[in-house]
Amino acid sequence: AVADAVRLAETWLDRVTDVPAATTSSVAWSRAEWVEATGTSWRRLVEPIADNVVGAIAQAIPDEARAMAGPLIGMLNQAGSAMFSQQIGQGLAGLATEVLSSTDIGLPMGPSRVAAVLPHNVEAFGEGLEHSSADVLLYVTLRECAHHRLFAHAPWLEQALVGAVDEFGAGTHIDVEAIEAQVREIDPSRPEAIAEAMQGGLFEPRRTPGQQHAVERLETLLAFVEGWVDEVVSQAARDMPSAPALAEAIRRRRATGGPAEQTFASLVGLELRPRRLRDAANLWAAVRDRQGPAARDAAWTHPDLMPTAADLDDPLGFASGETVDDDFDAALDELLAGESGEGTQDRDDEPGTGDAR
């Protein structure tokens, strides 16, 4: 069923975009297979954050706590790493019960050029939507294939997303004052006291301005990715009666996030969620209406051609090419032309210029 859905999805997508198909095979994953197949990608995303969290903990422990903990301080890093790893594993196990495909979080987490869908989760997602299971599977597959096309079409995109995650991890900071306040309440005679404090959020990272910038950059990129996929899939499935309702269900799901996604976000402090998905979809639709599908897709060929977060507030302006910078340039040209005209007039008034005039 997944193989049939992929073939049909690619045919439909070919009608609405010149971005070529990027999948060469298809597979139906179980939840366990999703964890195994995406493990390498998750490690690439999570390890920088984990390393920086543990490192920040070691650097932020006050001298008072070091003296009080004594030999236990050497065990702290090991305990922190083990606890963090265990929590990440639990978070991924929870996500495995919700993800629908290999690109469901907005990044290509599975093998390259493999369209992968989790039928069991797709069936669970479709419950209560009052649409056939075949329609739900096809719509999810359309999104999976569209994601693969986009990431193959824009080779810079994946690294830009991963780079934002790395930037977030590198900015990890531990609130030393908060630690000092709580450490005073730890009973040094109880070795398990530090572990209990860690579980209670003693060493929870505080988001820094640098991390906030990374999060905003990540959310904006994810919004443009998901918005483009929404736009292209809506065009491909426009003759599918259930498509609008399924699109809305997907948007609500991505906007709110499920319990497992929220759990993972609380563990690493990072939400892989496009907050302005609708605005981004409207922007790409406006570009298609004003300039055609080719212009919508060409913006992905280089990051300098991409819209910015500010363009989400004025999608029609971006679609028409009438940005604030363009208005500024036009006003500057007009001003310079006026000054040039005044200079010409002054020269015309000089003696001996009558014939030239």
Side-chain angles (χ1 to χ4, degrees), residues 13 57 92-93 97 142 178 185 236 248 289 307 350:
L13 289 170
I57 290 174
L92 291 181
T97 66
L142 277 164
E185 302 177 3
E248 182 60 28
D289 288 340
E350 293 176 358

Side-chain angles (χ1 to χ4, degrees), residues 32-49:
E33 288 171 330
W34 175 84
V35 173
E36 181 178 358
T38 63
T40 300
S41 296
W42 280 111
R43 190 174 300 112
R44 180 179 59 168
L45 287 178
V46 171
E47 277 189 348
I49 298 176

Side-chain angles (χ1 to χ4, degrees), residues 29 34 38 99-111 114-118 144 147-148:
W29 279 344
W34 175 84
T38 63
V99 291
L100 306 179
S101 67
S102 72
T103 60
D104 195 27
I105 69 165
L107 285 84
M109 304 301 292
V114 177
V117 178
L118 285 73
E144 169 77 351
H147 274 102
H148 277 283

Side-chain angles (χ1 to χ4, degrees), residues 138-225:
L138 176 58
Y139 198 85
V140 170
T141 304
L142 277 164
R143 293 182 56 82
E144 169 77 351
C145 293
H147 274 102
H148 277 283
R149 289 186 183 223
L150 179 58
F151 280 96
H153 176 63
W156 59 268
L157 177 58
E158 182 177 357
Q159 185 53 49
L161 290 166
V162 173
V165 176
D166 290 344
E167 181 183 344
F168 176 87
T172 300
H173 172 71
I174 303 296
D175 190 337
V176 177
E177 293 181 358
I179 291 177
E180 290 177 340
Q182 296 183 57
V183 160
R184 295 189 187 99
E185 302 177 3
I186 297 177
D187 183 359
S189 64
R190 296 176 57 242
E192 67 275 14
I194 291 181
E196 292 174 357
M198 288 182 65
Q199 292 176 342
L202 172 60
F203 299 111
E204 181 180 352
R206 302 296 188 266
R207 184 171 291 182
T208 64
Q211 285 183 309
Q212 184 61 35
H213 175 266
V215 168
E216 292 172 357
R217 185 159 64 95
L218 180 65
E219 288 180 345
T220 300
L221 272 176
L222 284 174
F224 285 132
V225 170

